[in-house]
Amino acid sequence: MTDGKQTERRSQAWFGASGRSGMVYRSWMRNQGFGPEVFDGRPVIGIATSASELAPCNAHLTRVAEAVKRGVWQAGGFPLQFPTMATGETLMRPTAMLYRNLMAMEVEELIRANPLDGVVLLSGCDKTTPAMLMGAASVDLPALMVTGGPMLNGKYRGQDVGSGTHVWKFEEDLKTGRMTQEECFFAEGCMARSNGHCMTMGTASTMACMAEALGMQLPGSATWPAVDSRRMETGQAAGRRIVEMVYEELRPSQILTREAFENAIRVNAAIGGSTNAIIHLTAIAGRVGVALTPEDFDTLARAVPTLVNLMPSGKYLMEDFCYAGGLPAVLAELLRGGLLHGEQITVTGRSIGENVADAERIGSDVITGLDAPFQPPGSGTAVLRGNLCPDGAVIKQSAASPHLLTHRGPARVFDSPEAYHAVADDPDLDVDENTVIVIRNAGPKGYPGMPEVSNVPLPAKLLKAGVTDMVRICDGRMSGTGYGTVVLHVAPEAAVGGPLALVRDGDPIVLDVPNRTLRLDVDDAELERRRTAWKPPVPQHTSGYAWLYTQHVEQAGQGADFGFLRGCRGHDVPRDSH
């Protein structure tokens, strides 16, 4: 099959080759039962699947891949499924974030090394979505993403419960005696009752929405539940569409423009999305040469109200969001308010404005309008600066306690999250509700991998006294399902000598979110004395991938990517060794 636009596709360097080389490539493919007609020049579509039983959020993607194959065959393409690693946050230690860059590298090289003309990316859990987008962007072949969809709403004793968000709530209930361990075991199954990723507006749901907002996913496909038949319809439609994208030569570099990232940043504010989107969007942007700074996420979002009433900031869950109109309804509302670049092209070949021209909100409680938003403009993620975070830090205002957004209190410092957990239940722990808990050495190099440990649970003695929130500061990350007044991504991190490494117990810390500052109230001379005495930690790793990671990972404000992976390396056909 040919389309008249391109006489020879990239895949024909393999399957159209003459002599021994062509024979090798074609004959070994035919041992799978493919007839000779599939090598006639039709688009060869890779289906990159991160399905794995070790990544529960992604375990069902094998079925989604079958739906994609149907669509590719329907459109006259040749589908070939291949596995990638799955960076599942639920099981991987020390953190899936340590392996996001490795997965991105793998996806990039698998696409480039194989006879592919286009690729469909099947992702689910938190890091798989950005990793696949990063890898595909660096190759720049036609690419389209299909995320696996959220779980059905959790149900426990007549109430909706959200994955992740209720983990923190149930932990507090256990500590205070409001819940028994047996009740907690039962609630686990109620919380995770179907295939799919977290159904709160955690990082998985956020990044699915970001893929759609960027234009890399079909309209409406971010929110269909994983077990809804329309998830499979989406996969089949994606299979058809990627073949058309190959004909049109529509590539990520045409879609992932500065305007697309500005759209995604504003959409993240409108949905009450995860702070992790800042790191992932920055890393994806770096692959296509779009420079994003931490301030972009603050300034671009300040005029955007939170429109979506979802946990952890609100009441509802992704299934409700889907039935209320999904992301297209949010996009349409933002477009009406002039808050998006409506002309930005997407994988459909149409603009984002054209994609959602007929979208509507169903009801007024789950997705609110700009005229009466769930939370006012400026309530999204704020970027802080100051002598404690000269390269920036972030806080999710919609998940924080308003009375703590301006706060001064003494530091209680822990050199690791484990050090805190070891004493968190001690009734004699020297803390009160004004204390600022500082957790350090949890950054990209320090842990390594920048784990989701920043929203440590409150000390047991304060929970029992009725305290529900405290200021916590960390150079690590927080799960998108988490909540609380937590300052994250403090940069430079403590492990490289950032100011967080210099904080001592009792030092006054001043948080002023309205003025976007975070300050250690210690004079400069004393800080310089401490800096001179500071010694870097002994490296934990001297070989292997973890060593490579710590040698090359950049700081949070740069997306925590490897410096040598920035940019697009293209899709030139590798040399033939046969």
Side-chain angles (χ1 to χ4, degrees):
M1 177 179 177
T2 59
D3 60 5
K5 296 180 182 178
Q6 185 172 314
T7 57
E8 186 172 291
R9 303 201 182 282
R10 182 177 184 274
S11 58
Q12 284 298 289
W14 284 262
F15 298 141
S18 59
R20 181 179 62 184
S21 291
M23 187 181 302
V24 168
Y25 296 129
R26 292 186 298 269
S27 63
W28 259 262
M29 290 299 293
R30 291 184 69 176
N31 82 349
Q32 300 178 71
F34 296 120
E37 67 277 2
V38 299
F39 307 116
D40 62 0
R42 69 186 65 193
V44 178
I45 304 299
I47 302 172
T49 173
S50 55
S52 170
E53 290 182 345
L54 287 172
C57 304
N58 298 30
H60 65 296
L61 290 176
T62 301
R63 298 198 301 277
V64 180
E66 292 301 318
V68 176
K69 286 182 184 177
R70 290 198 301 268
V72 174
W73 286 121
Q74 282 178 337
F78 179 18
L80 293 171
Q81 179 181 331
F82 64 95
T84 71
M85 67 184 294
T87 49
E89 190 63 68
T90 52
L91 295 183
M92 294 188 87
R93 292 185 178 183
T95 168
M97 184 64 175
L98 178 63
Y99 302 103
R100 183 202 65 179
N101 298 347
L102 179 61
M103 183 180 181
M105 197 184 314
E106 180 198 37
V107 169
E108 174 183 348
E109 299 304 334
L110 284 173
I111 295 172
R112 183 180 294 112
N114 284 290
L116 303 178
D117 302 307
V119 63
V120 176
L121 310 165
L122 303 185
S123 71
C125 197
D126 298 15
K127 315 305 177 296
T128 55
T129 297
M132 285 182 146
L133 289 174
M134 290 159 68
S138 286
V139 184
D140 203 31
L141 280 173
L144 190 159
M145 174 157 276
V146 180
T147 49
M151 293 185 281
L152 297 175
N153 287 3
K155 301 287 184 180
Y156 176 66
R157 293 189 170 179
Q159 64 171 322
D160 282 353
V161 294
S163 52
T165 298
H166 272 80
V167 168
W168 322 122
K169 294 183 185 297
F170 290 157
E171 180 182 40
E172 292 173 1
D173 288 346
L174 276 171
K175 284 178 175 288
T176 56
R178 295 191 297 265
M179 188 180 221
T180 67
Q181 188 62 67
E182 290 74 20
E183 289 171 329
C184 195
F185 281 142
F186 180 75
E188 290 171 6
C190 302
M191 183 164 47
R193 64 188 188 96
S194 79
N195 287 139
H197 58 66
C198 287
M199 83 299 272
T200 52
M201 189 53 78
T203 306
S205 295
T206 296
M207 292 312 300
C209 290
M210 292 299 92
E212 187 173 329
L214 285 168
M216 291 296 295
Q217 184 161 213
L218 293 176
S221 59
T223 58
W224 288 119
V227 294
D228 194 302
S229 62
R230 287 163 290 192
R231 174 61 51 193
M232 303 306 163
E233 287 183 24
T234 294
Q236 189 165 323
R240 293 194 303 270
R241 178 58 195 153
I242 190 63
V243 175
E244 295 170 352
M245 289 175 65
V246 172
Y247 291 159
E248 297 164 6
E249 300 185 35
L250 180 57
R251 306 181 190 279
S253 58
Q254 298 164 263
I255 298 169
L256 297 174
T257 65
R258 170 76 190 190
E259 289 73 21
F261 285 100
E262 290 186 358
N263 283 347
I265 290 169
R266 290 192 171 112
V267 170
N268 189 54
I271 63 176
S274 169
T275 51
N276 290 309
I278 297 175
I279 289 180
H280 297 318
L281 287 174
T282 301
I284 298 166
R287 299 302 187 96
V288 291
V290 173
L292 294 181
T293 67
E295 277 70 27
D296 286 330
F297 291 85
D298 195 321
T299 56
L300 288 167
R302 282 209 192 200
V304 182
T306 305
L307 301 180
V308 180
N309 181 5
L310 256 64
M311 298 180 196
S313 300
K315 172 182 177 182
Y316 295 100
L317 295 166
M318 286 295 289
E319 191 178 349
D320 308 305
F321 183 34
C322 178
Y323 305 150
L327 195 68
V330 175
L331 297 175
E333 189 69 15
L334 293 175
L335 283 163
R336 280 191 283 273
L339 293 170
L340 295 182
H341 301 285
E343 71 288 351
Q344 181 57 38
I345 197 72
T346 72
V347 289
T348 65
R350 301 187 303 273
S351 71
I352 195 167
E354 292 171 317
N355 286 345
V356 302
D358 298 325
E360 59 179 343
R361 290 185 292 122
I362 301 169
S364 59
D365 199 19
V366 180
I367 305 173
T368 60
L370 289 170
D371 55 341
F374 172 58
Q375 293 189 6
S379 57
T381 298
V383 175
L384 311 175
R385 295 278 183 173
N387 70 345
L388 194 50
C389 55
D391 291 343
V394 303
I395 184 169
K396 186 174 180 178
Q397 296 180 87
S398 62
S401 298
H403 73 281
L404 290 175
L405 294 178
T406 302
H407 181 79
R408 177 188 172 93
R412 183 69 167 86
V413 183
F414 299 90
D415 285 329
S416 69
E418 292 81 8
Y420 172 77
H421 289 299
V423 299
D425 293 339
D426 184 347
D428 297 321
L429 184 64
D430 184 20
V431 294
D432 61 28
E433 66 273 18
N434 294 313
T435 300
V436 176
I437 295 176
V438 174
I439 309 289
R440 60 191 177 197
N441 299 312
K445 290 180 182 288
Y447 202 74
M450 204 180 179
E452 295 178 342
V453 296
S454 301
N455 60 323
V456 293
L458 270 56
K461 78 173 193 178
L462 296 183
L463 285 171
K464 291 174 182 177
V467 178
T468 59
D469 198 6
M470 296 172 67
V471 175
R472 285 151 281 176
I473 297 174
C474 186
D475 47 10
R477 297 178 301 113
M478 178 174 80
S479 169
T481 66
Y483 53 88
T485 309
V486 188
V487 178
L488 315 154
H489 310 181
V490 173
E493 63 176 302
V496 298
L500 204 64
L502 311 180
V503 183
R504 295 183 179 177
D505 285 344
D507 285 350
I509 292 178
V510 182
L511 173 66
D512 187 349
V513 176
N515 288 307
R516 301 298 194 263
T517 60
L518 177 66
R519 185 167 54 86
L520 183 63
D521 198 4
V522 175
D523 68 68
D524 293 344
E526 171 61 16
L527 290 178
E528 186 57 36
R529 189 184 67 79
R530 295 180 189 179
R531 187 173 289 108
T532 301
W534 179 81
K535 290 181 173 56
V538 176
Q540 300 177 54
H541 304 280
T542 57
S543 63
Y545 173 71
W547 173 85
L548 176 74
Y549 184 94
T550 55
Q551 292 299 302
H552 294 283
V553 70
E554 298 178 326
Q555 290 292 290
Q558 299 166 294
D561 199 1
F562 294 155
F564 64 83
L565 290 179
R566 282 179 169 270
C568 178
R569 283 161 286 286
H571 49 263
D572 288 347
V573 175
R575 290 186 294 176
D576 186 359
S577 61
H578 294 102

